[in-house]
Amino acid sequence: MRLLYIFCFLFCFNAFSQDDIVAREYFKNGKFEKALISYKKLYSKNIKNRRYLTALVKTHQQLEQYKEAEALLLKYTSLVNYPPALIELGYNYKLQNDSINANINYQKALGELELKPNYAGMIGRTFEEYSLLDQAIETYKKAMVAKPELNFNMQLARIYGEQGDIEKMFNSYINFSEINDAYINLIKREFSSFISENKENENNTILRKIILKKIQTDPDLKWNDMLSWLFIQQKDYKKAFTQEKAIYKREMESLDRVEELANIAYTQKQPELAKEIFQFIVDNTQDVDIKINGQYNLLKIETEKATKDDYKSINESYVKLLETYGKDGRTLNIQIAYAHFLAFYLNKTTEAISFLKDSLKSGIDNYSSAPIKMELGDILVLEEKFNEALIYYTQIQRSLKNSTISQEARFKVAKTSYYKGDFKWAESQLKILKASTSQLTANDALDLKLLIGDNKTEDSLQTALKVYAKADLLAFQNKKEESISLLNTILKDYKTEAIVAQTLLKQAQLLEEKTKFDNAKENYERIISDFKDGILVDDAIYALAEIYANKLNQPEKAKALYESIIFEHADSIYFVESRKKYRALRGDAIN
């Protein structure tokens, strides 16, 4: 008997579910007469079911049968005390242009909050569902006054955002986060849709003033955190550093946030500020590993901007660091950086190789030895000892298969083969790297593969490509002037070759590194005019825009070039950045 009961129940439930699905499909497809029949049948079996009531009412409304919908809602409100039904009844009057009865029912629903403010959630949601946003705002505000422990600021913020009232939206999010620290990151994501990199943007100014007011009235560090975040979005890293210092000095705990900011400043090409932040880390940490990393970064920045007159003091700094902390796993980055400095700046390649080979003898594992071997390979390429370099790169590939550094090593194998003029072997390695999990390696591999592939067909002897590879090697060897000069021979002697556009691009990039921006500009302009249908034209347009924007202070010319990428090169890898920078130059209020 029990099994029979269960079977009957399941059969009826399944039939009921099927009717429900059929009714919804009718409604979705605009077959309202059929949907009405189905929903009447479903509702008649359970007149207290809210979902079927609402569906039936909406179906009547689609058929403009407002009196039938009204009758259903009046009957339901007489049976059940459910305030959202009053809103639905009011909305039904609104559809009949009866604003008086509509407002009477809206006010009845709002009146329920006086005795039961906890009803605010369902009342507010129903008002929102019918786009009655002013009534929804009133609902949430009234409930919070009646019962202060309720917090509907998140709902208010969302509504204000829809209405375009940015200041009230920001304030509501801030008010919500006062007692909901766990939502800070979510709120930052919401804010990011309304601010831009332009600190003069009106929305940025509004938010900054709101947060500053909070800092003045409430000493909670989350406001300093939020202000630091805003400054970072604006790329005003110095002001962000001020906030991060304030947070650290109050908490005296982790320097992770400060270190992250230093790395951001460095990657955003603000080396002096990055240096200041790393120095703060070194001066304030008691953690030896953090101190070592800070000093490593300080030396890296100092080396990048150094002239030959600075090399002696930099060398002394490296030696002193290694004497202080020793040659072990903690100082691997410093050891590798020092060897690179010896080889690429002081031309002491023999000493650098010997130094790194000693580092390999310290009993480190395969993963830790890989970057040492990579640097050894690079130094051997610098000396044009290609076969020895290939041995180290191959060792990394074999010991750490499928890792990111293994894929980087494979690319180095291809690049070294290319430097040697062995383009066939280089291509075979590059084909494998197309599917690299490292996007940067995959992109570099594709670029080199296209360079080789595009030029081997035009010249069976690959003469121009061999000259280009030699110039590329000179650039790697830090002999930029010699590379620029050799690239000139290609432009002079191979005027009809496919390699010309690539040569112009490479030479322009080297000229930029030598701060010869006007010369670089001429190259980019020639690519744009003479090779407008080539694959490098978007590279040239974007690079030229960057020169106008960041070096020559001609924002209008930069804006026109960014716009060119947006509208004429939508498939470019520079599309997203160009759109962002174009909007910033145009002064858009929202990203």
Side-chain angles (χ1 to χ4, degrees), residues 418 421-424 427 451-469 494 497 499:
Y418 151 78
D422 188 352
F423 302 127
K424 187 175 181 180
E427 270 195 297
L451 171 67
I452 296 170
D454 288 349
N455 290 284
K456 72 178 184 180
T457 53
E458 282 201 12
D459 178 9
S460 59
L461 298 176
Q462 299 170 335
T463 310
L465 185 57
K466 287 173 184 175
V467 177
Y468 183 90
Y494 301 94
E497 298 285 342
I499 205 166

Side-chain angles (χ1 to χ4, degrees), residues 344 377-387 389 393 412-423 448 451 464-484 486-487 490 506 510 513:
F344 286 83
D378 290 351
I379 294 169
L380 289 163
V381 170
L382 176 68
E383 284 205 304
E384 300 187 33
K385 295 179 179 178
F386 301 125
N387 291 335
Y393 295 144
K412 297 260 188 180
V413 167
K415 197 76 182 276
T416 303
S417 302
Y418 151 78
Y419 288 146
K420 286 174 64 181
D422 188 352
F423 302 127
L448 186 55
L451 171 67
L465 185 57
K466 287 173 184 175
V467 177
Y468 183 90
K470 177 62 179 176
D472 209 350
L473 176 61
L474 286 169
F476 174 78
Q477 293 169 326
N478 213 14
K479 299 174 182 177
K480 294 184 174 61
E481 289 293 353
E482 293 95 321
S483 180
I484 291 168
L486 188 56
L487 291 168
I490 297 176
K506 179 70 178 178
L510 291 170
E513 289 178 33

Side-chain angles (χ1 to χ4, degrees), residues 428-444:
S428 71
Q429 299 301 299
L430 294 166
K431 283 178 184 175
I432 299 169
L433 284 167
K434 284 195 298 182
S436 171
T437 52
S438 166
Q439 191 60 50
L440 183 61
T441 302
N443 289 342
D444 288 344

Side-chain angles (χ1 to χ4, degrees), residues 53 56-57 60-61 65-77 85 88-90 92-93 96 98 101 105:
L53 170 71
L56 185 54
V57 166
H60 277 304
Q61 289 170 343
Q65 297 171 357
Y66 302 118
K67 293 302 178 184
E68 290 85 343
E70 179 183 337
L72 280 168
L73 290 165
L74 285 170
K75 184 176 181 181
Y76 185 82
T77 54
E88 292 171 3
L89 181 59
N92 193 65
Y93 285 124
Q96 300 173 73
D98 185 350
N101 277 312
N105 281 281

